[in-house]
Amino acid sequence: MKIGIVGNGLMGSAIAHRLLKRGFEVYLYNRSKERSNALVKEGAIRMEHPVMLGKKCNFVIVSVTDGYAVKQVLFGENGLIHCNNKHLTVVDTSTVLPEDSIYCANSMKKIGYKVIQAPIMGGPDATLKGDVISIVSGNKKIFEKCRKILNNFSKKIIYIGNADGAANYMKLALNLNIALIAISLSESIVFVKKSKVDPAIFLEILNSTYFKTGLSEIKGPKMIKNNFEPKFFLKNMLKDVQLLNECAKNSGTSLSFSSLAEQYYRIAVNRGYSELDYTAILKLFCELNNLAARN
Ligand SMILES: NC(=O)c1ccc[n+]([C@@H]2O[C@H](COP(=O)([O-])OP(=O)(O)OC[C@H]3O[C@@H](n4cnc5c(N)ncnc54)[C@H](OP(=O)(O)O)[C@@H]3O)[C@@H](O)[C@H]2O)c1
């Protein structure tokens, strides 16, 4: 089966690798061409513009940074909207503002294309193992047709409902939870380091208790070794917290710690940590306390 993948960043590449392995014929578009070189070597076919994917494939997965990027690849000069393939279904896995999703879905539907939102919980490593959770909103019949694709990289698919954008609200809430856990784990590690007790033993104890998290188990040991190899860029965590705060403002919701989290992720971006993993928030907190992250 042919599948198009627009956006070959950390997540889009992982989805493409996985689908290639599962026997799909994969067509790619990425704004920066060189980013898809490894996938081309594996047998994927690179196209010059998103519109070409729409002409070749009835299903196109979009995995780009934000609503602006989604609009570019859908409605730009050579965007998917110009493909003239009435069988096209767009599966947007990007984490974006729900309002942007609604706008994109409505604009595509007007011309007869089908769209669902399917933001992902889990990173590139989990995607490669088929181990993520896909959160889906949009027309149920269309979702059911997309299941055979999502099944290839998802261990679980949760359908939220017919309303476009609903999955995006859910995804933003889930990412806020991660952003705040990363901050709380970082503050504990900073305290432990300042107290000159061993952060490895701190993690061993935490991870033996009911209070452990996936983050403390998987990322914690890397964090205390100052290993911030990116699986989810810190700049994208800032983007998600910003999006959630924007939604909260629109709905009159007061979220004190989310606002504060946005400030700290922004400081980390301003310090040059954009392209590190979001857990490099620890590096910032260490520096604010005159601690080398490795101490
Ligand atoms: N990494 C994770 O663990 C993870 C997990 C779940 C969800 N997500 C979400 O999945 C999406 C992709 O994340 P990622 O980690 O793959 O990010 P990434 O590595 O930063 O990749 C971003 C992708 O978006 C493209 N892009 C950005 N602006 C664009 C524009 N104006 N026009 C066209 N393409 C544009 C980039 O193209 P270039 O290469 O040309 O810059 C790249 O392909 C994001 O919404 C993210 O929040 C990520």
Side-chain angles (χ1 to χ4, degrees):
M1 181 181 180
K2 289 178 183 167
I3 188 111
I5 302 180
V6 174
N8 308 147
L10 294 172
M11 279 307 273
S13 292
I15 295 170
H17 280 294
R18 177 78 184 170
L19 293 181
L20 277 169
K21 277 226 159 111
R22 306 281 284 196
F24 284 79
E25 197 176 321
V26 175
Y27 289 79
L28 302 173
Y29 166 79
N30 198 64
R31 183 180 58 175
S32 326
K33 220 172 168 180
E34 67 287 350
R35 217 164 169 191
S36 45
N37 285 349
L39 290 160
V40 171
K41 275 190 195 150
E42 277 181 46
I45 301 149
R46 180 163 46 205
M47 306 263 107
E48 287 298 317
H49 301 293
V51 64
M52 295 173 177
L53 271 64
K55 287 184 188 297
K56 285 273 177 199
C57 313
N58 289 342
F59 290 94
V60 175
I61 293 175
V62 174
S63 173
V64 292
T65 308
D66 52 16
Y68 175 77
V70 175
K71 287 174 193 167
Q72 288 284 300
V73 301
L74 294 184
F75 311 124
E77 198 184 341
N78 292 299
L80 272 170
I81 201 163
H82 305 297
C83 72
N84 214 14
N85 172 5
K86 293 293 176 202
H87 300 289
L88 175 68
T89 296
V90 174
V91 179
D92 187 9
T93 64
S94 319
T95 307
V96 300
L97 266 186
E99 292 98 282
D100 281 338
S101 273
I102 294 165
Y103 171 84
C104 291
N106 286 343
S107 307
M108 292 296 277
K109 284 188 214 169
K110 264 187 207 154
I111 305 174
Y113 303 124
K114 301 166 196 80
V115 180
I116 60 164
Q117 300 82 43
I120 294 172
M121 272 308 281
D125 291 348
T127 305
L128 291 172
K129 290 187 232 151
D131 219 14
V132 300
I133 296 166
S134 290
I135 310 160
V136 181
S137 56
N139 183 286
K140 189 153 198 291
K141 273 191 191 153
I142 298 165
F143 154 57
E144 289 301 346
K145 286 189 180 152
C146 297
R147 212 186 249 284
K148 59 181 179 286
I149 297 159
L150 297 173
N151 267 339
N152 286 280
F153 53 89
S154 316
K155 68 177 173 193
K156 194 166 186 175
I157 303 171
I158 298 180
Y159 178 67
I160 303 289
N162 193 52
D164 288 308
N168 304 96
Y169 284 111
M170 202 63 87
K171 170 64 185 166
L172 291 179
L174 289 157
N175 266 27
L176 172 65
N177 185 256
I178 302 169
L180 292 176
I181 292 174
I183 286 177
S184 87
L185 183 63
S186 295
E187 290 215 332
S188 293
I189 292 172
V190 166
F191 174 75
V192 162
K193 284 183 169 191
K194 271 280 198 194
S195 312
K196 304 232 180 313
V197 287
D198 188 345
I201 298 176
F202 160 74
L203 281 180
E204 188 187 339
I205 300 167
L206 175 62
N207 290 333
S208 308
T209 71
Y210 165 79
F211 303 101
K212 69 183 176 187
T213 59
L215 194 90
S216 65
E217 284 189 309
I218 294 167
K219 300 243 184 195
K222 293 180 187 164
M223 289 165 74
I224 62 170
K225 288 186 188 132
N226 204 17
N227 175 351
F228 304 116
E229 185 203 339
K231 298 294 180 185
F232 180 41
F233 289 123
L234 191 142
K235 65 181 177 186
N236 285 341
M237 183 58 96
L238 170 62
K239 179 255 308 178
D240 290 352
V241 178
Q242 275 176 196
L243 295 181
L244 177 125
N245 283 329
E246 199 176 326
C247 285
K249 197 167 128 191
N250 292 340
S251 63
T253 311
S254 168
L255 299 174
S256 317
F257 291 100
S258 312
S259 307
L260 203 52
E262 181 178 332
Q263 297 304 323
Y264 279 98
Y265 282 103
R266 185 169 299 120
I267 296 169
V269 163
N270 289 339
R271 287 231 171 168
Y273 303 157
S274 287
E275 310 271 323
L276 296 179
D277 195 66
Y278 66 94
T279 48
I281 198 71
L282 171 63
K283 192 168 154 60
L284 171 67
F285 289 159
C286 283
E287 285 167 7
L288 294 177
N289 285 284
N290 288 328
L291 269 175
R294 211 179 249 291
N295 282 342

